[in-house]
């Protein structure tokens, strides 16, 4: 799969940009502020209907403009798909193959794009939200069931927290708790099944990257006791009931998938606390390689890969492993020239 044509109007700092591409590696080299990351974001948005930089898509609209427009032609297994998005202050319009689509997931169905940016290098030692985001992104792109449950969960969570902060009305909480429990059960089951499937692949990638020095194990850390019984929905509901008073005092929901975490163990030792910089980057790289494989298996084709200023942060051996996994179209940004890319990639001029 690859992007054959990309157009953007009033997107971030790009007033108008139109380009044609092949299924190859492209490099965008230049100082910060030239719009390299904005260019990658445009590709991600037009292929998924959402951004990897903001939850509020209206932020991509150029200053002084009323809307932003993106279009792309994506080639998948010899079939061409025409995508178009219009983004306004309070509305989004999706069109795929000349047919309007109401939801982003229908618009982006069957397409795959992987982004690797500097913040991902902080995944192991940084905020739990970075680790949840990795799993959520992979599952939302490949599982409509998970995507529906994720959207439903976050919507009900917002409503429940509003009641906790503003209304202080306990009678309303029971309704929200039942709805939240339904979505939470789906998210938990899907996450745990995915982690079980991915464990051996991540471990194998880590061994290859690290030179077979340690064994990597991935564990799920739930914010409440999880037994994975048939009544997981009911168990979560009962846990919410037990914590209602504490939640009312704090004004927020204190348990649930939105607070769960993932831990990485090297030979049984918590990587977050005791690992070297090289080990941490090997873990992150193993996860991104897994993500590329996961999407390839799902769509039956190589996903489009976006590398935003990360190759300069990796040493030569780790850089080579990452590039060896990428078989299709890839866009790479960097503030400085990377000699190893000069002969294997084509330059893109954003001027």
């Amino acid at each position: 799969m690859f992007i054959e044509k990309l157009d953007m109007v009033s997107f971030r700092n790009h007033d108008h940009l139109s380009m044609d591409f092949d299924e190859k590696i492209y490099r965008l080299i230049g100082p910060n502020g030239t719009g390299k990351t904005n260019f990658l974001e445009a590709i991600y948005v037009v292929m998924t209907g959402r951004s990897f930089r903001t939850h509020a898509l209206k932020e991509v609209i150029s200053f002084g403009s009323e809307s932003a427009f993106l279009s792309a032609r994506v080639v998948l297994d010899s079939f061409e798909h025409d995508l178009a998005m219009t983004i306004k202050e309070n509305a989004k319009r999706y069109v795929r193959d000349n047919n309007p689509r109401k939801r982003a997931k229908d618009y982006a169905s069957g397409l795959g794009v992987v982004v690797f940016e500097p913040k991902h290098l902080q995944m192991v030692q940084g905020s739990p939200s970075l680790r949840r985001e990795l799993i959520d992104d992979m599952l939302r792109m490949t599982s409509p069931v998970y995507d529906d449950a994720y959207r439903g969960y976050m919507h009900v969570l917002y409503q429940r927290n509003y009641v906790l902060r503003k209304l202080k009305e306990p009678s309303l909480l029971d309704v929200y708790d039942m709805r939240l429990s339904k979505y939470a059960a789906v998210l938990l089951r899907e996450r745990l099944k995915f982690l079980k499937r991915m464990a051996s692949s991540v471990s194998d990638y880590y061994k290859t990257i690290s030179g077979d020095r340690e064994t990597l194990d991935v564990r799920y850390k739930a914010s409440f006791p999880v037994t994975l019984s048939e009544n997981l929905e009911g168990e979560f509901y009962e846990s919410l009931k037990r914590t209602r008073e504490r939640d009312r005092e704090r004004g927020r929901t204190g348990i649930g998938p939105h607070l769960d975490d993932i831990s990485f163990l090297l030979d049984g030792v918590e990587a977050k606390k005791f690992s070297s910089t090289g080990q941490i980057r090997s873990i992150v790289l193993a996860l991104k390689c897994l993500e590329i494989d996961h999407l390839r298996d799902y769509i039956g084709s190589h996903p489009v890969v976006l590398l935003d200023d990360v190759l300069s942060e990796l040493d030569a051996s780790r850089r080579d492993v990452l590039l060896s996994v990428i078989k299709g179209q890839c866009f790479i940004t960097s503030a400085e020239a990377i000699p190893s890319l000069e002969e294997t990639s084509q330059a893109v001029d954003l001027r």
Side-chain angles (χ1 to χ4, degrees), residues 304-347:
V304 175
V305 179
L306 312 174
L307 304 181
D308 187 20
D309 203 22
V310 292
L311 289 190
S312 59
E313 300 291 333
L314 301 173
D315 58 37
S317 61
R318 292 182 177 86
R319 187 185 303 160
D320 290 343
V321 169
L322 176 58
L323 292 177
S324 72
V325 176
I326 300 170
K327 303 300 183 182
Q329 190 179 59
C330 177
F331 295 88
I332 302 171
T333 71
S334 177
E336 300 178 350
I338 301 176
S340 60
L341 289 179
E342 292 298 317
E343 295 182 0
T344 59
S345 63
Q346 180 174 322

Side-chain angles (χ1 to χ4, degrees), residues 218-263:
V218 184
R219 302 280 178 85
Y220 192 81
K221 298 172 65 176
S223 55
F224 79 106
V226 177
T227 63
L228 279 186
S229 69
E230 291 298 321
N231 192 32
L232 179 56
E233 180 179 334
E235 290 180 358
F236 185 69
Y237 171 74
E238 292 299 324
S239 294
L240 282 175
K241 285 178 63 176
R242 288 193 294 269
T243 59
R244 275 183 191 174
E245 191 58 37
R246 183 184 65 186
D247 289 350
R248 290 175 66 192
E249 292 175 357
R250 297 180 177 181
R252 59 182 174 83
T253 303
I255 62 170
H258 65 292
L259 294 174
D260 292 352
D261 199 359
I262 298 167
S263 65

Side-chain angles (χ1 to χ4, degrees), residues 64-84:
S65 299
E66 295 183 355
S67 64
F69 175 78
L70 294 170
S71 69
R73 177 167 297 139
V74 177
V75 179
L76 176 61
D77 295 332
S78 300
F79 292 95
E80 294 182 348
H81 295 281
D82 290 317
L83 308 173

Side-chain angles (χ1 to χ4, degrees), residues 6 22 41 81 103 121 166 182 195 201 203 208 210 218 261 263 268 282 293 328 332:
L6 177 68
D22 294 313
E41 183 186 21
H81 295 281
R103 299 179 297 181
L121 294 171
K166 303 292 185 180
K182 175 184 176 181
L195 287 173
S201 294
S203 181
T208 299
S210 67
V218 184
D261 199 359
S263 65
S282 293
D293 284 352
I332 302 171

